[in-house]
Amino acid sequence: MSSPTCSPKLTSQSRLGDYEEMSHYLWPKGNLDTKFRVALAVSLLIGAKVLNVQVPFYFKSIVDSMNMDIGAMGGNAVAVAGSMILAYGAARVGATVFQELRNAVFASVAQKAIRRVARNVFDHLLRLDLGFHLSKQTGGLTRAIDRGTKGISFLLTSMVFHILPTALEISMVCGILTWQYGAKFAAITILTMVGYTAFTIWTTAWRTKFRRRANAADNRASTVAVDSLINYEAVKYFNNEPFEVSRYDKALREYEKSSIKVATSLAFLNSGQNIIFSTALTAMMYLACNGVAQGSLTVGDLVMVNQLVFQLSVPLNFLGSVYRELRQSLLDMETLFNLQKVNVTVTDSPNAKPLVLTKGGEIKFENVAVVGPSGCGKSTLLRLLFRSYDAPSGRILIDGQDLRDVTLESLRKSIGVVPQDTPLFNDTIEHNIRYGKIDATHDEIIAVAQRAHIHDIIQKFPDGYETKVGERGLMISGGEKQRLAVSRLLLKDPPLLFFDEATSALDTHTEQALMANINSILREKNRTSVFVAHRLRTIFDADLIIVLREGSVAEMGTHQQLVDSGGVYSELWSAQETMFSGDGADDLREDFNSKEK
């Protein structure tokens, strides 16, 4: 799986796909409110532009009126051009009011579309399989999502607020110039638009590579920064602050170089656009002045031509910047939508049924091979049972039901996992325990915390259950994290329990007390539980012990059978017995003997 940190190549097909994708959000089926708002926004847009092009007409009439014998007409502005002045002011106010109303009406459409896209992408990312998330770069991924949603916002607003209004205004101005002043003025306007647009597109295409490099460098810098901050303790342990700063600075240096090229190429683009527009304006002013000199045009006509052309300059300047940003937004949007196109490899089969436990959760692996370059495959087996990914061959059964024939929701609801590295949210202790059962009461949370032997510790914290655990639980100890994980599991109360080195961070006394509590829970409801462990004292009373080596089953049986066989398990047990032969060894043996009885 490739990392979504680099901007992809933009193709015509991908552009059409993005526009089609966006159309579903901009004009959703069955959503009359959104469709009404879009239609109203477009109507207000047309109204604003019609009023806007009327302004030069009224200004022309005012100038021509003031060019007459004012003394003969009463000598005041009201008598000469009163109605035109009022119409001029009303047109300007009306155009502005219509434009602001359009912004207000369309804001709801744009924000709802952005929210729906972001929500759908986030939902899809959470449903992707483990392989994607193991290979992702969190910093670059979050950056891509952020820029993608901003790109959607810019696309929607630019289409409604810039591109459509500019196209409409250019068409209206060209029509007015042709009708009022002849083909020469219209020809200059059209040539200006074509030259301006062609120059903008060509230069923007040339500049895109600089922007793409800047984005890639920005992603790398973000990834380095997030990675270093997440692993803050490792940086401190090895005094590698200068190394991390140099890595970050290297990425920033690449971003700096690309950004300088972006800025200098932008200066070239702006200069070229201004030269094209100024040349056209000069030519049109010459024609208008020549018409005034020949008597075919009035001074008001000269002012009107000037105003019409200058009126185009504002949207044209916006059009240049809009086109640049639009291409970048499409790049960012394509990255975002490509995340939605990543296939979910672990899905429900067409005829999947809910998992039904009839035999207490009997687990069988049939012809499933677990291989890999390192490790013996213990955690892989748990992930296969949870269907984090599927085995390419063979099948896994729970109470005779193939995991691929039951729904993922029912399977995962039936399984509780306490992983070795406990994932915690940067929130309160209560929130992290309640995650096992979102609608749990405070009393239920206290009850499971007591059973996991962490309630008394929590009570000693200044904020109690409202204590923040920090990012990834860095503000509490490893043992406390594991007990929180056990609390969360007890709150979920599933019929199948998986423990992956779940007590590795606990001291011997706490571990024994917690394991006794867990064993009582298992006996209480006759649950099936799977323990992955290196410390054999946590699993020697299991009904069946399976010893794995290099992805294969080396031996299996009860504790006594494996010790008597003199194999791998016996060697491991002897080594750990020797390690604990000092303080506490007698307690361990006494505990073992009592359980054997």
Side-chain angles (χ1 to χ4, degrees):
M1 180 66 63
S2 60
S3 175
T5 57
C6 296
S7 299
K9 183 178 180 181
L10 196 63
T11 63
S12 298
Q13 186 176 2
S14 64
R15 282 197 298 266
L16 290 173
D18 289 339
Y19 282 125
E20 184 181 355
E21 187 85 20
M22 281 308 306
S23 67
H24 299 312
Y25 296 101
L26 193 59
W27 196 260
K29 291 182 179 179
N31 194 326
L32 296 179
D33 178 67
T34 299
K35 291 181 177 180
F36 172 75
R37 284 178 174 273
V38 172
L40 181 58
V42 173
S43 300
L44 290 169
L45 157 67
I46 295 172
K49 288 307 171 187
V50 169
L51 287 174
N52 207 36
V53 297
Q54 292 301 312
V55 171
F57 280 95
Y58 295 131
F59 195 38
K60 167 191 176 321
S61 298
I62 293 170
V63 172
D64 285 339
S65 298
M66 299 303 292
N67 201 33
M68 297 176 184
D69 188 355
I70 298 176
M73 299 182 65
N76 62 70
V78 174
V80 177
S83 61
M84 290 298 102
I85 293 173
L86 290 175
Y88 174 82
R92 288 185 63 88
V93 171
T96 302
V97 170
F98 275 33
Q99 180 174 311
E100 294 306 321
L101 284 174
R102 175 202 64 188
N103 296 352
V105 168
F106 193 74
S108 173
V109 177
Q111 292 305 317
K112 282 182 179 179
I114 293 166
R115 178 171 64 85
R116 288 179 62 199
V117 171
R119 181 188 62 199
N120 291 345
V121 171
F122 185 68
D123 175 70
H124 185 73
L125 288 175
L126 289 179
R127 289 188 290 108
L128 288 176
D129 56 275
L130 183 66
F132 173 85
H133 288 283
L134 290 178
S135 64
K136 77 180 187 300
Q137 291 178 305
T138 304
L141 183 61
T142 54
R143 198 72 168 177
I145 296 173
D146 180 55
R147 281 206 307 265
T149 52
K150 287 180 180 177
I152 293 168
S153 174
F154 185 83
L155 175 68
L156 292 176
T157 54
S158 64
M159 288 294 292
V160 176
F161 299 161
H162 298 299
I163 296 176
L164 291 178
T166 301
L168 179 61
E169 192 161 9
I170 289 173
S171 301
M172 293 175 71
V173 168
C174 287
I176 291 169
L177 289 173
T178 304
W179 175 58
Q180 287 280 100
Y181 306 112
K184 288 184 180 180
F185 287 89
I188 293 175
T189 304
I190 292 172
L191 286 174
T192 302
M193 301 303 106
V194 172
Y196 191 99
T197 304
F199 176 77
T200 299
I201 292 174
W202 176 81
T203 309
T204 303
W206 167 64
R207 294 183 65 243
T208 299
K209 59 183 178 183
F210 303 134
R211 190 64 177 267
R212 187 181 292 117
R213 291 171 189 167
N215 280 350
D218 186 32
N219 282 346
R220 285 193 293 271
S222 178
T223 299
V224 170
V226 170
D227 200 31
S228 299
L229 291 173
I230 286 177
N231 295 289
Y232 166 83
E233 287 184 294
V235 175
K236 286 292 183 185
Y237 289 151
F238 296 97
N239 298 75
N240 277 337
E241 293 92 341
F243 172 72
E244 294 300 327
V245 171
S246 66
R247 287 178 64 211
Y248 186 56
D249 185 60
K250 181 181 178 182
L252 289 178
R253 193 181 305 117
E254 294 176 7
Y255 178 72
E256 176 189 357
K257 291 179 181 177
S258 298
S259 296
I260 290 172
K261 291 181 179 179
V262 169
T264 52
S265 59
L266 176 60
F268 172 75
L269 175 60
N270 289 339
S271 299
Q273 289 173 335
N274 187 265
I275 290 171
I276 293 171
F277 182 80
S278 297
T279 302
L281 180 61
T282 303
M284 294 182 78
M285 290 301 292
Y286 171 78
L287 289 177
C289 289
N290 196 43
V292 172
Q294 293 176 359
S296 59
L297 298 178
T298 65
V299 176
D301 288 318
L302 173 64
V303 173
M304 181 176 172
V305 169
N306 182 276
Q307 272 222 312
L308 280 173
V309 177
F310 259 111
Q311 202 159 288
L312 284 180
S313 68
V314 176
L316 273 179
N317 285 335
F318 274 120
L319 186 61
S321 60
V322 164
Y323 180 76
R324 295 192 304 269
E325 296 299 327
L326 190 60
R327 279 190 63 90
Q328 183 57 43
S329 296
L330 287 173
L331 286 169
D332 295 336
M333 283 172 51
E334 187 176 31
T335 302
L336 183 68
F337 287 132
N338 280 344
L339 290 175
Q340 283 188 290
K341 295 171 186 174
V342 177
N343 291 328
V344 181
T345 56
V346 179
T347 58
D348 287 334
S349 63
N351 300 316
K353 298 179 181 178
L355 177 67
V356 179
L357 300 179
T358 57
K359 304 177 184 178
E362 181 185 61
I363 299 171
K364 286 185 179 181
F365 283 77
E366 293 184 355
N367 302 318
V368 177
V370 181
V371 297
S374 62
C376 60
K378 300 185 299 297
S379 297
T380 300
L381 290 174
L382 292 185
R383 287 172 174 173
L384 286 171
L385 283 167
F386 199 72
R387 282 200 74 192
S388 294
Y389 36 71
D390 287 326
S393 62
R395 60 179 187 159
I396 304 170
L397 308 174
I398 296 181
D399 281 355
Q401 301 161 84
D402 192 324
L403 297 191
R404 285 170 290 201
D405 295 332
V406 301
T407 62
L408 283 168
E409 183 180 8
S410 66
L411 173 67
R412 292 172 179 173
K413 275 188 175 180
S414 301
I415 295 175
V417 181
V418 179
Q420 182 176 3
D421 185 15
T422 304
L424 294 178
F425 295 94
N426 188 7
D427 209 309
T428 64
I429 288 175
E430 181 165 343
H431 172 83
N432 277 283
I433 296 177
R434 182 177 276 117
Y435 209 74
K437 181 183 174 186
I438 298 298
D439 58 350
T441 65
H442 183 67
D443 290 338
E444 289 176 314
I445 291 171
I446 292 176
V448 295
Q450 289 172 335
R451 295 171 75 182
H453 295 273
I454 195 174
H455 174 72
D456 293 339
I457 296 174
I458 296 173
Q459 292 290 77
K460 293 177 183 177
F461 294 150
D463 297 324
Y465 281 84
E466 294 301 312
T467 301
K468 298 277 187 178
V469 302
E471 190 167 357
R472 297 185 297 117
L474 291 176
M475 294 180 69
I476 59 177
S477 70
E480 289 163 351
K481 288 168 65 175
Q482 286 196 327
R483 277 176 276 190
L484 282 181
V486 172
S487 302
R488 194 155 60 187
L489 176 72
L490 296 176
L491 191 62
K492 183 179 181 181
D493 195 29
L496 301 173
L497 304 178
F498 295 167
F499 298 86
D500 188 359
E501 299 284 359
T503 59
S504 60
L506 302 179
D507 60 85
T508 302
H509 176 74
T510 304
E511 179 184 50
Q512 289 179 352
L514 185 57
M515 286 303 302
N517 203 323
I518 290 173
N519 286 333
S520 68
I521 295 168
L522 297 178
R523 289 192 294 270
E524 180 182 294
K525 292 190 177 181
N526 191 30
R527 304 172 194 261
T528 294
S529 58
V530 178
F531 287 82
V532 171
H534 286 102
R535 299 200 319 206
L536 302 184
R537 64 178 181 274
T538 62
I539 51 94
F540 61 75
D541 59 340
D543 297 323
L544 178 65
I545 299 173
I546 302 173
V547 183
L548 298 177
R549 173 181 280 180
E550 297 179 357
S552 302
V553 176
E555 44 188 23
M556 57 192 297
T558 64
H559 169 79
Q560 196 59 53
Q561 290 171 342
L562 294 174
V563 168
D564 293 342
S565 69
V568 177
Y569 182 87
S570 179
E571 293 176 6
L572 290 172
W573 179 259
S574 298
Q576 291 190 12
E577 279 285 270
T578 302
M579 182 175 64
F580 286 100
S581 60
D583 297 338
D586 292 337
D587 293 339
L588 178 61
R589 292 191 188 92
E590 182 180 345
D591 182 59
F592 166 64
N593 292 332
S594 65
K595 289 186 178 181
E596 283 292 286
K597 294 176 184 178

